[in-house]
């Protein structure tokens, strides 16, 4: 489905993403975890086209998309949410969902609205609803149009523990139903372990472990990298 | 030719003083101050009255101080309350201020043009580079350059200068580090208006006074600030001198094209390098 | 369906978000309110606006019977400025871009029409048509160059382009009539009446009024169309719009061109109703004044800018003896920006909403 080959992104001399290889299976929720500054969000930026890779290749369904534009990728089926919520504060929730749905040809916005519990907010401006609700609008915008691959950049950031778990369950149910592949960057490990079928751990721009969640979490190097700096 | 270059330099220095103020205010408040030309025009008239009642030297001191006080009031009771608003709102506010000031000047001093003779010590002409050149213009060049050098040195070396530079690059971070951003803003808007005041007094005996003089020079000042890189003091200073010189050279070399020069310069600059030739930094 | 019923559904549906126990079965139950319903509710006020427009349109035709010649002349001026203010105000609202260059499209159209009418045998209608095309063509070129640039740089770019054209006109008296301006002699009929007679406001008014009302209707419909909503989305959050798969550049170019077309229309009305053009029409303050009256009238509504323009012309005429209109205008502008952002139109809207709530309309759930 998605394959990264030797993907590198450098800010001057610093390699934020360094020779990353990654393989994401169709239909999986693939977790991307690691301490702050590990290069996870940069990876999402590279896959979604927000930044251009310094070197390496990105393959999507076997095609090289490394130099494609954001718009091309969105219509080809790669979509994303943002760590810093990116919505339209002055538009009503209904308005912005309808607008985005029309661009990408989503037939059933209400399915997403229902799954993300946004029904009550529809007539309010996005700037006036709660942080958690704005977060869900951001995710809803990413899910419109049945993208094959959705990149979620810390969807639980800023949410309470309960909110995070609830969001994770709703999301997991929705993507399972829509057969969407997901790359999930997330700090909230409980969310990650609940919904991910595969896990990749990054540290300082490199992949240090990858595999089934139960295998990865017991690797000494992961424990050291993760707990060593996060705890 | 030497005379033309000196003329270019004199006008460039006038623009330099005026646009330094504009660039400082933009750098810190993020406001494109449309009232800057009106402040300059007001200063020219205040300078005119101060010169006729007292002396030119008194006007040279009083006017910038008066304008600086006005600037501080403007910041304290105007811009501060709107600092969270869209930049375009600020533009419109200062636009409104321009009308009010223009009307005020027309009411107090009348609509007709006036001219002011330089004081006796600066009247006549001097010999420079083998040509005779009006003493007053040389004085203008000297004062303008001196003030701008002093300004840059002060911003670089003093503690207040450091605070101002910090607040210009990032208000929030500066505030977190304990910089009193409101105080820095008041100083900058005061200083910027004071510089407009100085430019106004200096312009009195050099150009003729009219209520339109502000609007006429405002566009040139904008061009300088845009070409220099919005909010960049150093860039604006270079751009002011370049524009003054380019005007002078074009008016000798291609007189029919000289009127296009400033606008063409701004157009090309914005299209090729929207951040101006110095990027956006203060000093 | 009633809104109350919907509310109960959604309130229930939202509860689980607070409990850590997730619902086990998918698909989850759907709340009653759908996106379509919500949008329809938002558009409910539109028919009132449309009705108000229709009433105003019809009432406008009575003006020549109500006003004397001089006030009517001012009203014609007001429609011209209103069209220009509307074009600049609409661009600002839809794209967040403030243009100081629209005077160029206004002036180019006026000058092109004038020169075609004076020097070629074209009928007034053909001259006006070609003039508007040239104004709009200039808008296309400017749009392609400038719309990528955001914020204050855009304002400065449009200012620079407008001023270059002004300088050119000033230096080309054979086209512009220099600083004395250019008188136009229209020969032949314009829409069935002698074009030269349009200088009489009684003849000019219906034409000016129809142009204003048509422009207003066009921009209002555009704002509500998918295109208008996409523009709003670009203004609000350009990056997100790109990530939603929408190309922003063509949309911005089209918006600028439509707005420039409206400015060109204003130029055409101006030259037809005054038989005169001067280089002042190209100067940046022509755009600046139009922008100011647009803000005072309120750019949130298409009716705001023309209303602001009419008020400005009236104010200027009534204060022209004392020449203090500048201080009044400046003070009004400052007050509007400080205490009533959104201008007069926003105040009217708020009043109408309060009134509607008072009368028990189910506007808000």
């Amino acid at each position: 489905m998605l394959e990264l080959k030797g993907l590198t992104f450098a800010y001057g001399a610093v390699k934020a993403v360094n020779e990353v290889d990654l393989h994401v299976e169709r239909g999986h929720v693939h977790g991307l975890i690691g301490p702050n500054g590990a290069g996870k969000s940069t990876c999402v930026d590279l896959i979604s086209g927000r930044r251009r890779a310094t070197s390496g290749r990105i393959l999507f369904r076997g095609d090289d998309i490394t130099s494609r534009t954001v718009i091309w990728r969105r219509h080809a089926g790669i979509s994303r949410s943002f760590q810093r919520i990116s919505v339209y504060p002055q538009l009503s929730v209904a308005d912005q969902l309808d607008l985005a749905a029309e661009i990408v040809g989503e037939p059933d916005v209400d399915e997403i609205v229902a799954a993300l519990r946004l029904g009550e907010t529809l007539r309010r401006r996005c700037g006036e609803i709660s942080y958690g609700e704005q977060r869900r609008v951001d995710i809803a915008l990413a899910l419109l149009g049945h993208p094959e691959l959705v990149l979620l950049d810390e969807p639980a950031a800023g949410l309470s523990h309960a909110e995070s778990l609830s969001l994770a369950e709703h999301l997991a149910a929705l993507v399972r139903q829509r057969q969407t592949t997901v790359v999930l960057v997330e700090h909230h490990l409980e969310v990650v372990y609940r919904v991910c079928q595969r896990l990749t751990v990054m540290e300082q721009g490199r992949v240090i472990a990858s595999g089934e969640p139960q295998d990865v979490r017991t690797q000494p190097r992961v424990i050291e990298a993760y707990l060593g700096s996060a705890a | 030719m030497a005379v033309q270059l000196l003329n270019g330099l004199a006008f460039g220095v006038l623009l330099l003083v005026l646009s330094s103020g504009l660039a400082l205010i933009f750098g810190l408040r993020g406001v494109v101050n449309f009232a800057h030309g009106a402040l300059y025009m007001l200063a020219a008239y205040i300078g005119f009255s101060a010169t006729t009642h007292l002396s030119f030297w008194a006007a040279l001191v009083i006017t910038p101080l008066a304008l600086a006080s006005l600037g501080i009031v403007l910041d304290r009771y105007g811009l501060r309350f709107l600092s969270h608003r869209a930049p375009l709102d600020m533009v419109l506010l200062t636009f409104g201020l321009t009308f009010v000031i223009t009307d005020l000047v027309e009411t107090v001093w009348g609509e007709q043009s006036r001219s002011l003779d330089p004081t006796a010590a600066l009247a006549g002409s001097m010999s420079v580079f083998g040509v005779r050149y009006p003493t007053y213009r040389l004085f203008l060049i000297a004062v303008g350059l001196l003030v701008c050098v002093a300004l840059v040195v002060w911003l670089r070396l003093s503690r207040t200068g450091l605070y101002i530079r910090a607040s210009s690059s990032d208000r929030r971070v500066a505030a977190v580090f304990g910089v009193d951003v409101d105080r820095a803003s008041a100083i900058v808007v005061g200083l910027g208006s004071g510089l407009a005041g100085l430019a106004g007094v200096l312009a009195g005996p050099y150009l003729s006074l009219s209520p339109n003089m502000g609007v006429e020079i405002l566009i040139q000042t904008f061009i300088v600030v845009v070409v220099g890189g919005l909010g960049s003091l150093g860039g604006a200073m270079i751009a002011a001198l370049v524009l003054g010189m380019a005007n002078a050279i074009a008016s000798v070399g291609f007189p029919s094209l000289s009127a296009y020069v400033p606008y063409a310069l701004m157009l090309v600059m914005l299209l090729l390098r929207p951040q101006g030739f110095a990027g956006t930094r203060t000093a | 369906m009633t809104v109350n019923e919907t509310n109960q559904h959604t309130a229930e549906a939202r509860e689980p978000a607070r409990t850590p126990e997730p619902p086990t079965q998918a698909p989850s139950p759907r709340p009653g309110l759908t996106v379509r319903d919500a949008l329809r509710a938002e558009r409910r006020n539109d028919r009132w606006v449309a009705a108000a427009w229709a009433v105003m349109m019809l009432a406008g035709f009575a003006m020549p019977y109500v006003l004397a010649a001089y006030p009517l002349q001012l009203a014609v001026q007001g429609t011209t400025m209103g069209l220009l203010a509307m074009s600049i105000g609409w661009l600002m609202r839809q794209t967040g871009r403030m243009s100081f260059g629209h005077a160029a499209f206004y002036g180019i159209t006026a000058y092109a029409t004038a020169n075609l009418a004076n020097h070629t045998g074209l009928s007034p209608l053909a001259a006006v048509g070609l003039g508007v095309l040239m104004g709009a063509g200039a808008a296309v070129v400017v749009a392609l160059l400038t719309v990528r640039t955001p914020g204050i740089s855009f304002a400065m770019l449009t200012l620079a382009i407008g001023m270059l054209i002004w300088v050119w006109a000033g230096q080309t008296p054979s086209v512009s009539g220099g600083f004395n301006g250019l008188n136009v002699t229209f020969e032949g009929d314009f829409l069935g009446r002698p074009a030269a007679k349009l200088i009489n406001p009684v003849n000019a008014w219906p034409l000016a009024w129809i142009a204003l009302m048509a422009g207003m209707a066009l921009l209002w419909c555009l704002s509500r169309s998918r295109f208008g909503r996409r523009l709003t989305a670009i203004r609000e959050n350009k990056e997100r719009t790109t990530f939603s798969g929408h190309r922003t550049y063509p949309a911005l170019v089209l918006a600028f061109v439509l707005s420039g077309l409206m400015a060109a229309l204003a130029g055409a009305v101006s030259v037809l109703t005054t038989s005169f053009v001067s280089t002042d029409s190209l100067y940046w303050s022509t755009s600046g004044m139009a922008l100011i009256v647009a803000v005072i009238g309120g750019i949130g509504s298409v009716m705001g800018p023309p209303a602001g323009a009419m008020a400005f012309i009236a104010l200027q005429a009534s204060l022209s003896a004392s020449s203090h209109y500048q201080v009044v205008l400046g003070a009004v502008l400052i007050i509007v920006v400080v205490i009533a952002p959104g201008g007069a139109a926003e105040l009217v809207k708020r009043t109408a909403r309060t009134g509607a709530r008072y009368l028990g309309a189910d506007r808000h759930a």
Side-chain angles (χ1 to χ4, degrees):
Chain A
M1 180 70 182
L2 176 75
E3 209 163 342
L4 307 185
K5 285 186 173 168
L7 198 65
T8 302
F9 180 80
Y11 300 93
V14 183
K15 287 184 174 169
V17 173
N18 195 353
E19 300 279 329
V20 164
D21 294 311
L22 185 70
H23 184 81
V24 178
E25 290 282 338
R26 184 180 292 275
H28 276 177
V29 176
H30 193 120
L32 194 54
I33 63 171
N36 282 328
K40 313 175 299 281
S41 285
T42 310
C43 268
V44 168
D45 284 352
L46 291 170
I47 300 166
S48 64
R50 195 189 198 192
R51 296 175 196 271
R52 283 288 155 87
T54 312
S55 61
R57 294 200 303 153
I58 303 168
L59 302 176
F60 178 60
R61 294 181 307 206
D63 301 325
D64 189 334
I65 61 157
T66 319
S67 56
R68 295 290 189 176
T69 62
V70 168
I71 290 164
W72 189 92
R73 291 183 211 209
R74 180 64 168 100
H75 287 286
I78 302 178
S79 177
R80 67 169 293 174
S81 73
F82 291 83
Q83 187 184 346
R84 288 182 67 172
I85 295 175
S86 182
V87 292
Y88 305 101
Q90 296 292 323
L91 298 185
S92 74
V93 174
D95 221 357
Q96 56 194 287
L97 291 179
D98 185 59
L99 190 71
E102 175 228 325
I103 295 167
V104 289
E106 165 69 50
D108 194 358
V109 191
D110 291 312
E111 180 183 41
I112 292 172
V113 169
L116 290 171
R117 302 298 188 269
L118 284 169
E120 195 201 355
T121 65
L122 282 176
R123 285 176 62 181
R124 296 171 60 197
R125 285 185 186 189
C126 221
E128 295 166 355
I129 60 180
S130 76
Y131 185 83
E133 287 164 340
Q134 289 186 19
R135 176 65 76 188
R136 282 179 272 150
V137 173
D138 186 31
I139 294 168
L141 286 171
L143 291 171
L144 290 167
H146 288 269
E148 287 180 59
L149 174 66
V150 175
L151 313 162
L152 297 178
D153 195 357
E154 303 207 21
L159 303 188
S160 71
H161 183 71
E163 274 183 313
S164 302
L165 292 184
S166 154
L167 176 66
E169 292 301 331
H170 294 315
L171 256 179
L174 185 65
V175 300
R176 206 175 305 128
Q177 187 191 333
R178 293 195 154 208
Q179 298 173 322
T180 312
T181 310
V182 175
V183 171
L184 175 68
V185 172
E186 186 51 68
H187 275 298
H188 196 300
L189 289 184
E190 200 175 337
V191 167
V192 172
Y193 289 131
R194 274 202 192 188
V195 301
C196 292
Q197 284 89 41
R198 283 286 187 287
L199 212 52
T200 295
V201 188
M202 288 181 71
E203 190 194 15
Q204 293 184 347
R206 289 179 181 279
V207 171
I208 56 170
S210 204
E212 307 255 335
Q214 60 272 29
D215 301 337
V216 170
R217 73 197 296 183
T218 52
Q219 286 185 23
R221 210 179 150 195
V222 173
I223 295 167
E224 187 194 330
Y226 216 78
L227 299 180
S229 59
Chain B
M1 190 67 199
V3 173
Q4 289 302 329
L5 286 180
L6 282 169
N7 277 340
L9 187 61
F11 187 64
V13 167
L14 190 66
L15 280 178
L16 172 67
V17 176
L18 199 55
S19 49
S20 302
L22 194 68
L24 274 178
I25 296 175
F26 185 86
L28 203 127
R29 272 289 184 207
V31 181
V32 178
N33 183 10
F34 270 73
H36 211 68
L39 290 175
Y40 156 84
M41 187 259 305
L42 177 65
Y45 276 93
I46 292 176
F48 175 78
S49 289
T51 308
T52 42
H53 291 109
L54 303 164
S55 77
F56 178 72
W57 305 108
L60 203 55
V61 177
I62 293 172
T63 314
L65 289 178
L67 266 287
S69 324
L70 185 64
I72 291 170
V73 170
L74 177 66
D75 185 68
R76 179 69 185 73
Y77 297 101
L79 303 181
R80 190 180 298 178
F81 295 109
L82 293 176
S83 57
H84 58 282
R85 291 278 197 83
L88 297 190
D89 280 0
M90 305 280 242
V91 168
L92 294 165
L93 183 80
T94 56
F95 221 117
L97 207 59
T98 303
F99 286 109
V100 175
I101 293 174
T102 308
D103 201 304
L104 186 81
V105 168
E106 284 179 2
T107 309
V108 176
W109 284 279
E111 289 182 38
Q112 71 277 31
S113 304
R114 286 163 190 263
S115 61
L116 190 60
D117 288 326
T119 176
L122 300 171
S125 56
M126 278 169 73
S127 181
V128 241
F129 307 126
V131 291
R132 301 292 298 173
Y133 197 72
T135 313
Y136 183 76
R137 294 190 184 183
L138 293 172
F139 169 77
L140 186 157
I141 294 171
V143 171
L145 288 178
L146 210 65
V147 166
C148 290
V149 169
L151 180 67
V152 171
V153 170
W154 178 73
L155 278 174
R156 287 254 170 229
L157 301 182
S158 76
R159 190 148 200 90
T160 315
L162 175 69
Y163 288 165
I164 289 172
R165 284 183 290 138
S167 311
S168 299
S169 57
D170 195 322
R171 284 181 84 79
R172 263 187 223 149
V173 173
V176 167
F177 281 101
V179 175
D180 185 345
V181 178
D182 278 335
R183 191 167 153 267
S185 297
I187 291 174
V188 161
V189 178
L191 197 63
S193 309
L195 286 167
L198 179 68
V201 192
L202 287 175
Y206 167 47
L207 307 165
S208 71
L209 276 68
S210 80
N212 288 328
M213 66 189 285
V215 181
E216 282 159 12
I217 207 161
L218 181 66
I219 301 293
Q220 304 264 353
T221 315
F222 277 162
I223 294 171
V224 163
V225 173
V226 168
V227 170
L230 280 165
S232 153
L233 187 60
M237 287 179 167
I238 300 166
L241 297 177
V242 168
L243 184 61
M245 289 305 199
N247 261 336
I249 292 168
S251 66
V252 177
F254 338 87
S256 63
L257 295 181
S258 67
Y260 294 97
V261 166
Y263 308 113
L265 204 63
M266 173 152 86
L267 179 69
V268 170
M269 200 67 196
L270 278 172
L271 288 178
L272 298 183
R273 206 174 138 79
Q275 70 275 37
F277 57 55
T280 50
R281 270 186 312 117
T282 304
Chain C
M1 70 185 269
T2 68
V3 178
N4 284 340
E5 202 177 282
T6 321
N7 256 353
Q8 284 165 5
H9 272 278
T10 45
E12 278 167 22
R14 203 185 160 210
E15 271 317 298
R18 301 220 180 89
T19 54
E21 272 315 299
T24 40
Q25 78 276 46
S28 39
R30 292 210 184 175
L33 189 64
T34 64
V35 169
R36 192 173 291 270
D37 293 335
L39 288 176
R40 199 176 299 143
E42 276 176 30
R43 304 248 177 280
R44 202 173 293 154
N45 290 329
D46 284 4
R47 59 185 173 202
W48 294 110
V49 180
W53 177 85
V55 170
M56 208 164 67
M57 168 91 188
L58 290 174
F61 286 112
M63 289 286 256
Y65 304 101
V66 180
L67 291 181
Y70 178 61
L72 193 62
Q73 178 71 52
L74 293 177
V76 172
Q77 263 182 51
T79 56
T80 313
M81 190 182 201
L83 270 169
L84 186 62
M86 199 165 70
S87 78
I88 296 175
W90 183 78
L91 185 71
M92 192 162 155
R93 173 174 71 161
Q94 290 290 321
T95 67
R97 281 161 167 78
M98 184 154 81
S99 170
F100 280 106
H102 269 48
F105 317 132
Y106 173 87
I108 285 174
T109 303
Y111 268 120
T113 306
N115 280 293
L116 287 168
N118 281 351
H119 303 302
T120 68
L122 286 177
S123 72
L125 183 63
V128 167
L130 276 175
V132 170
L133 268 183
M134 284 175 76
V140 173
V141 175
V142 176
L144 291 171
L145 284 175
T146 61
V147 295
R148 268 186 223 277
T149 322
I152 204 73
S153 300
F154 176 83
M156 293 296 150
L157 257 181
T158 50
L159 177 75
I161 294 172
M163 290 304 284
L164 282 172
I165 293 168
W166 175 77
V167 171
W168 178 80
Q171 298 194 348
T172 320
S174 58
V175 173
S176 69
F179 290 96
N180 296 322
L182 188 65
N183 284 305
V184 194
T185 322
F186 285 111
E187 279 166 24
D189 285 0
F190 184 80
L191 301 178
R193 287 206 197 140
K197 286 199 172 174
L198 286 171
I199 198 157
N200 178 347
V202 175
N203 297 326
W205 174 256
L207 172 77
W209 184 246
I210 289 172
L212 179 67
M213 283 299 165
M216 199 184 268
L218 174 67
L219 292 188
W220 187 75
C221 292
L222 276 174
S223 306
R224 265 145 196 80
S225 70
R226 309 208 133 171
F227 172 63
R229 289 165 57 210
R230 286 183 183 195
L231 286 177
T232 313
I234 295 169
R235 183 200 65 203
E236 280 272 293
N237 190 339
K238 193 169 176 209
E239 181 174 55
R240 182 83 232 192
T241 308
T242 309
F243 277 98
S244 291
H246 188 49
R247 259 175 243 284
T248 56
Y249 181 64
L252 287 174
V253 169
L254 184 56
F256 188 95
V257 171
L258 284 167
S259 157
L261 178 69
M262 211 55 70
L265 198 62
V269 172
S270 163
V271 72
L272 274 171
T273 57
T274 60
S275 290
F276 178 75
V277 207
S278 79
T279 50
D280 282 352
S281 67
L282 291 164
Y283 197 60
W284 73 273
S285 58
T286 301
S287 309
M289 289 308 297
L291 180 71
I292 286 175
V293 299
V295 169
I296 291 177
I299 59 166
S301 154
V302 285
M303 294 188 189
M310 295 280 190
F312 169 74
I313 297 280
L315 186 74
Q316 194 182 26
S318 62
L319 293 176
S320 61
S322 71
S323 88
H324 276 307
Y325 81 93
Q326 291 201 76
V327 79
V328 177
L329 182 70
V332 170
L333 183 65
I334 291 173
I335 291 167
V336 166
V337 171
V338 173
I339 66 171
E346 186 63 31
L347 288 178
V348 171
K349 256 190 212 168
R350 261 187 243 159
T351 318
R353 255 180 230 159
T354 317
R357 204 172 304 154
Y358 186 73
L359 291 171
D362 58 342
R363 199 190 67 81
H364 217 300

